[in-house]
């Protein structure tokens, strides 16, 4: 699959950035994609990131839509059709079990005292592990015939005892994808949560996604330099997810008591296959 490019969309807010701690020395072919030349200068001066690895994209607007626009700009300008790539938020730390536990397909919490089981899932990734981790998720996508993979969004390790799953939502905090020609901002109505939209669309098109549930991308939610507070995001989240529910009817539904969240209505492989056939996806 070659040396997969790793992209970090960022506003260059220094206090927020954590991804540099483990990415810069990983040997990965990484690029920080910032807004302006001033952001580029700031990233270089603070972290010593080589200037050829900091790329300003000069978005035409800076608001709730910008992250979706930047993701599409990255794919359109920095990848070729069918290329695999990785995207990581700039404030992310990857947590995963150490070897030999990480090599297992399942870790049963009943085999460990609670404190020890918790600590298995609280180990920060080493830079030397980054490339192999990215490539393993991409290979799993290829084996399954899908184009989108990521990590567990749940922090609760008791729900993450099985390493690989094929259905769920992937967040842009850490994800791999293939340039399949489908934009991140799949419709103008989807102004935020383009990662959720891509998850749903890939299940509809390919029947599955890939989630490594042993791993979790940890970050400070709604931190300064991100998209905004939950209160600010919620109306746009409702709008985006309403469009998804209407256009993938029967595949996802609104989560109980939360207009800004969705869940998969059907989960079995056979049921998903039948839904795809009934709705003209295959």
């Amino acid at each position: 699959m070659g040396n997969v490019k790793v992209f970090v969309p960022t506003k260059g807010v220094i206090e927020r950035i954590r991804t540099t701690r483990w990415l810069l020395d990983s040997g990965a072919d990484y690029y920080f994609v910032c807004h302006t030349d001033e952001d580029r200068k700031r990233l270089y001066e603070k972290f010593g990131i080589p200037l050829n690895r900091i790329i300003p994209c000069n978005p035409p607007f800076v608001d709730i839509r910008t992250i979706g626009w930047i993701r599409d700009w990255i794919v359109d300008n920095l990848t070729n059709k069918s290329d695999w790539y990785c995207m990581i938020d700039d404030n992310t730390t990857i947590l995963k079990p150490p070897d030999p536990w990480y090599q297992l397909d399942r870790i049963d919490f009943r085999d460990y005292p609670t404190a020890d089981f918790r600590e298995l899932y609280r180990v920060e990734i080493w830079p030397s592990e980054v490339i192999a981790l990215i490539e393993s998720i991409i290979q799993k996508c290829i084996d399954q015939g899908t184009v989108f993979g990521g990590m567990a969004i749940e922090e609760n390790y008791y729900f993450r005892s099985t390493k690989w799953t094929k259905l769920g939502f992937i967040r842009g905090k850490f994800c791999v994808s293939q340039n399949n020609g489908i934009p991140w901002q799949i419709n103008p109505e989807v102004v935020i949560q383009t990662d959720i939209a891509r998850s749903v669309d890939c299940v509809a098109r390919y029947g599955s996604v890939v989630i490594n549930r042993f791993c979790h991308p940890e970050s400070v939610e709604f931190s300064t330099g991100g998209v905004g507070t939950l209160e600010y995001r919620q109306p746009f989240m409702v709008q985006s997810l309403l469009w998804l529910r209407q256009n993938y009817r029967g595949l996802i539904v609104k989560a109980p008591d939360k207009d800004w969240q969705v869940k998969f209505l059907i989960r079995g492989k056979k049921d998903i296959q039948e839904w795809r056939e009934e709705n003209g996806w295959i």
Side-chain angles (χ1 to χ4, degrees):
M1 64 186 67
N3 199 8
V4 176
K5 291 181 179 178
V6 179
F7 300 108
V8 183
T10 181
K11 292 181 180 178
V13 177
I14 299 304
E15 298 75 18
R16 166 187 165 93
I17 295 173
R18 303 167 70 194
T19 305
T20 50
R21 300 190 320 196
W22 51 271
L23 182 60
L24 300 192
D25 295 327
S26 67
D29 187 14
Y30 67 83
Y31 299 90
F32 284 72
V33 180
C34 58
H35 288 199
T36 66
D37 288 328
E38 283 299 312
D39 299 337
R40 184 172 185 251
K41 179 182 178 183
R42 194 162 57 249
L43 289 166
Y44 169 73
E45 291 177 348
K46 175 63 179 179
F47 299 109
I49 304 169
L51 287 173
N52 65 340
R53 294 195 175 275
I54 312 173
I55 303 173
C57 63
N58 299 299
F61 44 78
V62 180
D63 57 26
I64 197 77
R65 303 166 294 166
T66 306
I67 184 59
W69 184 92
I70 291 175
R71 285 172 175 159
D72 282 330
W73 186 93
I74 288 170
V75 175
D76 293 342
N77 292 275
L78 303 179
T79 74
N80 298 313
K81 188 69 182 294
S82 299
D83 280 356
W84 286 92
Y85 60 89
C86 176
M87 285 196 195
I88 306 171
D89 279 1
D90 64 358
N91 65 338
T92 298
T93 298
I94 304 300
L95 304 177
K96 62 181 283 295
D99 289 341
W101 295 276
Y102 182 71
Q103 302 304 322
L104 301 174
D105 291 325
R106 180 177 175 81
I107 301 174
D108 194 330
F109 69 88
R110 291 169 296 186
D111 294 338
Y112 302 90
T114 299
D116 293 343
F117 188 74
R118 180 187 299 115
E119 289 307 308
L120 281 180
Y121 287 81
R122 298 293 307 170
V123 179
E124 289 194 23
I125 193 171
W126 287 89
S128 58
E129 299 176 298
V130 172
I131 293 177
L133 176 60
I134 292 171
E135 290 182 346
S136 68
I137 299 176
I138 291 175
Q139 188 58 57
K140 203 75 172 178
C141 288
I142 294 171
D143 293 344
Q144 279 183 207
T146 190
V147 302
F148 198 36
M151 298 178 175
I153 62 175
E154 303 92 347
E155 294 185 22
N156 192 330
Y157 38 84
Y158 282 116
F159 297 105
R160 295 162 48 205
S161 57
T162 300
K163 187 173 186 178
W164 298 106
T165 56
K166 299 180 179 181
L167 186 68
F169 299 111
I170 294 164
R171 303 309 303 264
K173 293 179 182 182
F174 179 101
C175 62
V176 302
S177 190
Q178 188 179 39
N179 180 350
N180 66 341
I182 305 299
W184 280 81
Q185 191 170 18
I186 197 166
N187 183 276
E189 289 292 307
V190 183
V191 296
I192 192 174
Q193 291 191 305
T194 55
D195 45 9
I196 298 296
R198 193 166 184 83
S199 301
V200 175
D201 186 71
C202 283
V203 171
R205 290 179 188 277
Y206 306 104
S208 70
V209 293
V210 168
I211 300 176
N212 183 332
R213 296 180 64 80
F214 279 6
C215 297
H216 174 65
E218 183 180 68
S219 62
V220 178
E221 294 284 356
F222 316 119
S223 60
T224 300
V227 175
T229 65
L230 177 59
E231 291 74 20
Y232 170 66
R233 298 182 193 200
Q234 277 182 350
F236 302 101
M237 295 162 77
V238 171
Q239 172 187 326
S240 299
L241 297 181
L242 176 61
W243 184 90
L244 283 180
R245 298 202 313 270
Q246 291 173 341
N247 286 272
Y248 299 86
R249 194 180 303 275
L251 181 60
I252 57 171
V253 294
K254 182 176 73 70
D257 303 320
K258 292 183 179 179
D259 289 339
W260 64 92
Q261 292 183 8
V262 291
K263 65 177 185 178
F264 281 98
L265 179 62
I266 51 178
R267 304 196 64 85
K269 180 179 179 180
K270 180 181 178 182
D271 292 335
I272 290 174
Q273 192 77 352
E274 289 178 353
W275 180 90
R276 294 174 68 214
E277 291 174 355
E278 292 170 359
N279 288 274
W281 289 95
I282 53 175

